[in-house]
Amino acid sequence: MQIPVIQKVLAANDLISEELRAQFEKAGLLVVNLMGSPGAGKTSLVERTLEHLRKLKIGVIEGDVATSLDADRIARFGVPVVQINTGGACHLDAAMVRKALGSLDVSELDILLIENVGNLICPAQFDLGEACKAVVCSLPEGDDKVLKYPAIFSLVSAVVLNKLDLLDRLNFNLPDFRRHMAELNPDAALMELSCLTGEGFDRWIEWLELGARNAREFGGGSQSPARCRE
Amino acid sequence: MQIPVIQKVLAANDLISEELRAQFEKAGLLVVNLMGSPGAGKTSLVERTLEHLRKLKIGVIEGDVATSLDADRIARFGVPVVQINTGGACHLDAAMVRKALGSLDVSELDILLIENVGNLICPAQFDLGEACKAVVCSLPEGDDKVLKYPAIFSLVSAVVLNKLDLLDRLNFNLPDFRRHMAELNPDAALMELSCLTGEGFDRWIEWLELGARNAREFGGGSQSPARCRE
């Protein structure tokens, strides 16, 4: 009984997400759907990005079950930000993003970062019209996450492995994590960094800059997710 | 369109979970539904519990989207364990637990620990017939999780705040976390501990022992969730 209903929901979502994708490509905008577990450091990644990438215009959509805590953190940087509260739903969907765009002028942006609800499972199923999906994973979560949550790691163009500063205190096998990713999704860029110390952050910034340039120059093509890959 | 379907799914789940609850209470068994984000330390908590609580007979159900990694870790302790792979679903439901019970003799157990899928949102909605819901949250996830994921924290009888050993390396405001819990759900027991160092673990063991004693002596009552509270 459940499966046909879910398929209908996904099909309805895809109608809207394709409309959004066309709008984003027309505007020459790079849109990244940032997913990850609660507390992986998605908002910290956005904060550090706003500090490091001042030459591009960045807008942010924050998705949370409740509160505007994350949007408040982002608003301090003086960039356009919209908070979506799902009121219980475990993921963003394209209709929520379309509604949020009513408060954002995408024609003025180079990059739109959409921070999804903290959840390593459900957001993977819902296309938001983004050019690229990225997952933020952190060392304290353990080195087995690629194996245990394969759907999300197989879909993304980039993996940000955060909290590298804690490596000396954790029993985290970095070669194992790299190998699991290389076996599951060899095309994804793996960026190991620390939002706290800034170590490794340059690669993330370069990846965003490359994506933004591609979106600006080739916007409107159908190969957008591939273009985000290095 | 979605809401009536979800209500039907939940109603169907509750029919099965009430059947399970009656079975567990008749057997005088304490059943704990362990929820939490990916990598919060749910499996580590179960491992340390099996080391520290040798005088009680403990069985384990491991819920994961994919792999039997967690059940393999538990099987090393020589206790009855069943792995459920949801194959994509973001939570356990009562039907999955009922099926797993085909491989577990609950009449031989004092405690059944059900480790849910790593997810701080969806598992809260699905009753598994347990006496107590507990959430494992860890310091690296940040001190704002109670505010941002209120549904799960409001439902539980116990909060295990894990990875206390990292307190010196993180910007985690422990008084804030305690205050958020006290305001949202003052009846829940809050146990701050480290599965790595063992610090604070005694309180969790005492909480389980008290719950097991209550289940054995008063099993069959309708007040089971309250009985787990301290």
Side-chain angles (χ1 to χ4, degrees):
Chain A
M1 280 297 286
Q2 263 189 279
I3 292 165
V5 175
I6 290 169
Q7 285 174 339
K8 269 191 202 170
V9 170
L10 289 174
N13 184 76
D14 285 350
L15 285 176
I16 302 171
S17 70
E18 286 309 321
E19 186 190 298
L20 294 177
R21 180 166 286 110
Q23 182 183 351
F24 296 148
E25 292 187 346
K26 192 175 166 198
L29 182 71
L30 172 67
V31 181
V32 182
N33 178 358
L34 278 175
M35 304 177 286
S37 301
K42 298 181 292 302
T43 313
S44 296
L45 185 78
V46 175
E47 288 179 314
R48 295 296 84 73
T49 303
L50 295 171
E51 281 173 9
H52 283 74
L53 198 50
R54 296 192 166 269
K55 62 184 171 185
L56 295 180
K57 289 181 198 140
I58 303 177
V60 181
I61 292 176
E62 286 290 337
D64 278 297
V65 172
T67 80
S68 65
L69 290 172
D70 287 353
D72 296 345
R73 285 169 61 181
I74 301 306
R76 290 195 296 243
F77 292 85
V79 300
V81 57
V82 181
Q83 176 79 52
I84 298 174
N85 279 152
T86 65
C90 49
H91 58 271
L92 295 182
D93 63 35
M96 296 177 194
V97 172
R98 183 168 62 180
K99 196 170 172 200
L101 291 180
S103 311
L104 277 180
D105 183 356
V106 294
S107 71
E108 298 208 334
L109 299 177
D110 300 304
I111 297 176
L112 175 61
L113 299 176
I114 304 177
E115 182 183 334
N116 220 308
V117 176
N119 184 329
L120 210 46
I121 305 170
C122 316
Q125 289 198 290
F126 289 81
D127 183 20
L128 306 180
E130 70 277 337
C132 307
K133 292 184 199 290
V135 64
V136 184
C137 185
S138 62
L139 264 65
E141 296 171 55
D143 51 37
D144 58 0
K145 291 299 159 293
V146 174
L147 301 176
K148 290 176 68 179
Y149 300 86
I152 204 163
F153 286 96
S154 68
L155 280 172
V156 295
S157 307
V159 176
V160 173
L161 183 60
N162 188 25
K163 308 194 189 180
L164 200 59
D165 55 287
L166 291 172
L167 185 60
D168 64 312
R169 286 283 289 270
L170 301 169
N171 184 20
F172 186 95
N173 191 319
L174 203 49
D176 271 3
F177 186 92
R178 291 173 184 154
R179 184 168 46 80
H180 299 155
M181 264 316 292
E183 286 171 3
L184 181 72
N185 182 354
D187 291 334
L190 172 59
M191 288 164 278
E192 300 162 6
L193 55 79
S194 165
C195 288
L196 190 70
T197 66
E199 181 187 357
F201 213 82
D202 289 355
R203 279 199 65 209
W204 165 248
I205 295 296
E206 287 163 17
W207 185 84
L208 278 179
E209 286 178 325
L210 177 65
R213 195 163 56 237
N214 283 338
R216 197 165 53 238
E217 293 179 8
F218 309 113
S222 63
Q223 300 303 314
S224 44
R227 276 192 276 123
C228 284
R229 292 176 182 169
E230 293 181 317
Chain B
M1 281 295 288
Q2 263 188 279
I3 292 165
V5 175
I6 290 169
Q7 285 174 339
K8 269 191 202 171
V9 170
L10 289 174
N13 184 75
D14 284 351
L15 285 177
I16 302 172
S17 70
E18 286 308 323
E19 188 188 296
L20 293 176
R21 181 167 285 109
Q23 182 183 350
F24 296 147
E25 293 186 345
K26 193 176 164 199
L29 182 71
L30 171 68
V31 182
V32 182
N33 178 359
L34 278 176
M35 304 177 288
S37 301
K42 298 180 292 302
T43 313
S44 296
L45 185 78
V46 175
E47 289 180 314
R48 294 295 84 74
T49 303
L50 295 172
E51 281 173 9
H52 283 74
L53 198 49
R54 296 192 165 271
K55 63 184 172 185
L56 294 180
K57 289 182 201 138
I58 303 178
V60 180
I61 293 176
E62 286 291 337
D64 278 296
V65 172
T67 80
S68 65
L69 290 170
D70 287 354
D72 296 344
R73 285 169 61 180
I74 300 307
R76 290 195 295 245
F77 292 84
V79 300
V81 57
V82 181
Q83 177 79 51
I84 298 173
N85 279 150
T86 65
C90 50
H91 58 270
L92 294 182
D93 63 34
M96 296 177 195
V97 172
R98 183 168 62 179
K99 197 171 170 198
L101 290 180
S103 310
L104 277 180
D105 184 356
V106 295
S107 71
E108 298 209 333
L109 299 176
D110 298 305
I111 297 176
L112 174 62
L113 300 176
I114 303 177
E115 182 183 334
N116 219 308
V117 176
N119 185 329
L120 210 46
I121 305 170
C122 316
Q125 288 198 289
F126 288 81
D127 183 17
L128 307 179
E130 71 276 337
C132 306
K133 292 183 199 293
V135 64
V136 183
C137 186
S138 62
L139 263 66
E141 295 171 57
D143 51 37
D144 57 0
K145 292 299 160 290
V146 174
L147 300 176
K148 290 177 66 181
Y149 301 86
I152 203 162
F153 285 96
S154 67
L155 280 172
V156 295
S157 308
V159 176
V160 173
L161 183 60
N162 188 24
K163 309 193 188 180
L164 199 60
D165 54 289
L166 291 172
L167 185 59
D168 64 314
R169 286 282 289 269
L170 301 169
N171 184 20
F172 186 96
N173 191 319
L174 203 48
D176 271 3
F177 186 92
R178 291 173 184 153
R179 183 169 46 79
H180 299 154
M181 263 316 293
E183 286 171 5
L184 181 72
N185 182 355
D187 291 333
L190 171 58
M191 290 164 277
E192 301 162 5
L193 55 81
S194 165
C195 287
L196 191 69
T197 66
E199 181 186 357
F201 213 82
D202 288 355
R203 277 198 66 209
W204 165 248
I205 296 295
E206 286 164 16
W207 185 84
L208 279 179
E209 286 178 327
L210 177 66
R213 193 162 58 238
N214 283 337
R216 198 165 51 238
E217 292 178 7
F218 309 113
S222 63
Q223 301 301 315
S224 44
R227 277 192 275 125
C228 285
R229 292 174 183 168
E230 294 181 317

